[in-house]
Amino acid sequence: MAQAVKRLYPDIKLAIGPSIEDGFYYDFDSPQPFTEEDLPKIEAEMSKIIKENYKFEKSALKKDEALKLFKKMGEPYKVEMIEALPDNEVSIYKDGDFTDLCKGPHIDSTGEVKAFKLLSIAGAYWHGDEKNKMLQRIYGTAFETKAELDAHLTKLEEAKKRDHRKLGKELELFMIEEKAGAGLVIYQPKGALLRTIIEDWEKKEHLRRGYQIVIGPHILKSDIWVESGHYGYYKENMYIFQVEGQEYAIKPMNCPAHMLIYRSKTRSYKDLPIRYFELGSVYRNEKSGVLHGLLRVRGFTQDDAHIFCLREQAVDEIKGVIDFVAYALKVFGFSEFEVELSTKPDKYIGSDEDWEHATKALEDALKSKGLAYQIHEKEGAFYGPKIDIKLKDALGRAWQCATIQCDFALPQRFKLTYVGQDGKEYTPIMLHRVILGSMERFLGALIEHYGGAFPVWLSPTQVVIIPIADEHKEYAEKVAERLRENDIRVEIDGKNARMQHKIREAEVAKVPYMLIVGGKEAQAGAVSVRERSKGDLGQMKLDEFIGKITKEVVLSNSRQNRSG
Ligand code: ZN
C-alpha cells in the first residue's frame, strides 16, 4: 500500500505502518487529506504492484548508512525512527522501486498477495500524541483467499449493523451527549426498562445464593480512600473535590462501604462467609480519547459484591462465583467464554506470601472447575490477583464481564477481624467480584450479540397490539389489560396509519410479538399473532397466547430447565 501511495503521490512522507489484528494500517504525512475516492485508486495501483510480482529483498545497514539513505529519500519520519533504534543494525526491505524501513518478516514477493481491501481513512497523531502533527491513516486487510476476505468483510458489515451506539439510538435505549458530559450514559425509557429487568434478575439471583443487599453512598471522605489505599494507588482515576473544607471523592469502587458494614460489629468465624451485594454506581476519570459508547465510560454501575470468608472457605467461594457466572451467561444467551488469571502488578499492597496464597486460591478453583485459562503476568489489581471472564458474542468477539479478585490486603488495612474458634482475632479474606461486570458494557454486549432483537424476557416491549380500525381500539385496550395483568409488557399502536406500515414499524423496533385485532378476533376472544422475523402464526385464543408467552419468559430466565 505504501508503495502504491508513493507512486501516486510522490510528495507524501511515510510514517509508520504495522500489521494489526485482522489487517494493517499505514500513517502518511500528506499535504492533502485522503478521501474515500482515493481508496479505489490506491487499490488499483496495489493490484499493479502485485501483478508486477517484485521480490522482497532484505538487507541490513549500519545506522549511519540507513540515516544517510532515508535522508536522501526525504523521509523525515523514517530518520526519526532510525535515530530512536537501540541497535546499530537497521533492517531494510526493498521491492521494485520501493524501499522501506522494516523489521520483517515478509512474504517472498508481492505476487503472493491474493486478496486485499482498503477499509477506511482516519486521522492519527504522530506517536499518538495530540501535540504532534495529525497524519493520515489508511486501514486495510489482506487474506490468502478471496473467500476468506469476503467472509471477513461480511463480518465487518454485520458488526457495523449491530453497533450498539447505532442500535441504542434507533431503539431509543440510551444517549450520550457531549453537552451533558462525555462518557456519561443517559437511559431513555426502553433502555432503563431493559436495565431494570436485568437488575431485578440480579437481585433475585443474589438473594438465592445467600448474598445480602447493601447500599453505600456515592461520595466518601478522602480519609476512607487513604485508608483503602485508593488515594495512593488510584488517585489519578478519581474525581476529588471539597465540601466545607473537607476533601471528598466520588467512589471509583464500592469496597470501602462494604468493609465499613463488616467492621460495624464483632464477627465470629461462625458468621462467615458474609456476602454483601450492591448494584453500585462508580465514576472513574477516563481520558476523553479512550471513551467509546457503552464500553468505555466515566460513570457505570457494577453488579458488585464482597465476600468475607475464612482462608479455607476461599476456594469454595470462588468456585461458587464461577458457577454463578456460567449460569448467568447461559441465561443471557452466551454459550462461550474465555478465562484469564492476572498476577501481581508492579505497584501493589500486601505481603508477597499473601499474594502467593491468593493466586493459588484462584488457580485451585479454576483447576477444580476444569476451566482452561491464560495467565496475564502483572495485570492484577493493586490489592490482589484476579480472574477475568470474557464472554464471546454471536460474532465471536470477546467482551470483559466477570472479575473475581482475591484480597488479603484491604481487610488488613481496614483492620477487619473475626473471632476464631480459639477466641483469638483473625483477619478474614475478602473476595471482590462482579458477575456481568459493568451494566453499561454488558448492555453493549447484549445489544450487539442480539443485534437489538432481544429474547422475549429481556425485550422492553414484548407485545405490540395493532387494531385494524378505530372501532377495534376498545378490544385492543381489553387485550392490553389482560396482558398487563399477566406481567406482559405491552403497547398499543393506535395511530392512523396502514396496518402494513405499523407491522413494519414493530419489526424495525424488534418487538417479539405483534397482535393484530379486528372484528373477527373481538368476537372470538382471540388475537392474530405475528412473531418477529417469523411472520404470521395465525389466530389464537387470548388465553392461549398468554400461556405461550408466559411460558417462554419463565423458561428463559429461571433455573427451571437449566442446570449449573
Ligand atoms: Zn471491591
Side-chain angles (χ1 to χ4, degrees), residues 253-256 302 304-306 383 405 410 430-433:
M253 293 184 193
N254 302 303
C255 346
Q302 297 174 303
D304 203 2
H306 295 90
Y383 45 77
Q405 291 171 331
L410 277 182
M430 180 163 77
L431 301 176
H432 310 246
R433 48 104 288 187

Side-chain angles (χ1 to χ4, degrees), residues 224-474:
I224 290 292
W225 303 111
V226 171
E227 193 173 354
S228 68
H230 286 90
Y231 205 84
Y233 293 85
Y234 203 72
K235 196 178 170 190
E236 65 270 28
N237 298 305
M238 291 163 66
Y239 295 109
I240 296 170
F241 58 98
Q242 301 277 328
V243 178
E244 294 181 344
Q246 167 72 52
E247 203 180 80
Y248 282 73
I250 304 178
K251 66 174 170 175
M253 293 184 193
N254 302 303
C255 346
H258 297 195
M259 288 191 281
L260 295 179
I261 299 169
Y262 180 94
R263 196 163 76 179
S264 65
K265 64 183 202 188
T266 309
R267 309 287 177 178
S268 147
Y269 70 96
K270 285 184 246 165
D271 301 329
L272 303 184
I274 290 174
R275 309 181 185 103
Y276 292 144
F277 168 67
E278 175 173 11
L279 284 159
S281 298
V282 295
Y283 290 83
R284 295 180 188 170
N285 192 1
E286 299 275 5
K287 293 214 166 59
S288 55
V290 303
L291 298 174
H292 179 92
L294 293 175
L295 308 188
R296 282 293 280 275
V297 288
R298 286 186 171 144
F300 57 99
T301 299
Q302 297 174 303
D303 57 346
D304 203 2
H306 295 90
I307 302 173
F308 303 89
C309 65
L310 309 174
R311 274 187 185 232
E312 55 269 33
Q313 290 170 332
V315 172
D316 275 342
E317 287 300 313
I318 296 163
K319 277 156 62 178
V321 174
I322 293 171
D323 286 342
F324 194 172
V325 175
Y327 173 73
L329 293 185
K330 209 192 284 179
V331 166
F332 285 96
F334 300 97
S335 51
E336 275 182 83
F337 54 84
E338 290 170 355
V339 184
E340 291 166 3
L341 176 66
S342 299
T343 61
K344 193 170 71 187
D346 290 328
K347 269 172 139 187
Y348 66 96
I349 55 176
S351 75
D352 289 332
E353 195 202 340
D354 283 344
W355 270 88
E356 258 169 57
H357 273 294
T359 312
K360 193 172 175 316
L362 293 171
E363 235 174 340
D364 286 350
L366 286 175
K367 280 181 183 152
S368 77
K369 285 273 136 205
L371 289 174
Y373 57 95
Q374 282 191 318
I375 294 188
H376 284 210
E377 296 289 350
K378 296 190 178 187
E379 298 272 308
F382 70 85
Y383 45 77
K386 59 173 181 165
I387 292 171
D388 284 311
I389 300 180
K390 293 182 174 169
L391 63 86
K392 292 283 245 356
D393 75 4
L395 297 184
R397 301 168 302 174
W399 303 68
Q400 167 73 43
C401 58
T403 302
I404 311 165
Q405 291 171 331
C406 189
D407 183 357
F408 287 81
L410 277 182
Q412 276 165 18
R413 289 183 77 102
F414 270 73
K415 301 192 171 55
L416 305 185
T417 58
Y418 65 88
V419 179
Q421 218 163 353
D422 55 5
K424 286 186 193 153
E425 285 199 344
Y426 296 92
T427 307
I429 287 175
M430 180 163 77
L431 301 176
H432 310 246
R433 48 104 288 187
V434 294
I435 301 294
L436 303 179
S438 145
M439 285 294 155
E440 280 68 16
R441 184 172 40 215
F442 186 71
L443 274 177
L446 264 188
I447 294 169
E448 298 205 7
H449 180 61
Y450 287 112
F454 305 110
V456 179
W457 79 280
L458 285 171
S459 290
T461 305
Q462 296 170 315
V463 174
V464 169
I465 303 172
I466 303 174
I468 292 174
D470 269 354
E471 67 253 42
H472 307 125
K473 276 185 184 165
E474 203 187 308

